[in-house]
């Protein structure tokens, strides 16, 4: 759910199950968190150390990239 305070869970469609890389940017465009997940890893990102505010998330899997926004409470 968005907003979040501690954890962000990612649901990857079954036909896209692959390793993924997630990069989190603050509103100034600085990378504040990077994490890679293997095919069988739970896709959960720990964000409790981030300051409150708005962030942008890039999710990369194989040849696809998505961008989402996140509000950290």
């Amino acid at each position: 759910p968005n907003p979040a305070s501690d954890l962000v869970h990612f649901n990857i469609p079954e036909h896209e199950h692959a390793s993924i890389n997630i990069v989190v940017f603050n509103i100034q465009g600085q990378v504040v968190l990077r994490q890679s997940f293997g095919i069988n890893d739970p896709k959960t990102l720990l964000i409790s150390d981030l300051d409150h505010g708005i962030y942008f998330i890039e999710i990369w899997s194989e040849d696809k990239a998505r961008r989402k926004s996140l509000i950290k409470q």
Side-chain angles (χ1 to χ4, degrees):
N2 192 4
S5 57
D6 294 320
L7 298 172
V8 178
H9 304 282
F10 296 91
N11 293 319
I12 306 300
E14 280 217 17
H15 66 277
E16 292 183 27
H17 275 261
S19 298
I20 65 168
N21 296 302
I22 295 176
V23 182
V24 180
F25 299 88
N26 64 17
I27 200 145
Q28 289 85 23
Q30 299 165 318
V31 174
V32 294
L33 184 60
R34 285 183 200 266
Q35 185 139 0
S36 297
F37 297 95
I39 292 172
N40 297 317
D41 294 340
K43 312 302 191 272
T44 302
L45 192 63
L46 180 64
I47 62 165
S48 57
D49 289 341
L50 296 179
D51 293 333
H52 300 276
I54 298 172
Y55 293 87
F56 302 100
I57 301 173
E58 285 187 353
I59 305 163
W60 297 83
S61 68
E62 294 184 355
D63 62 344
K64 294 185 179 185
R66 293 182 185 83
R67 290 189 180 171
K68 302 285 183 183
S69 59
L70 168 70
I71 298 171
K72 166 65 166 66
Q73 291 185 329

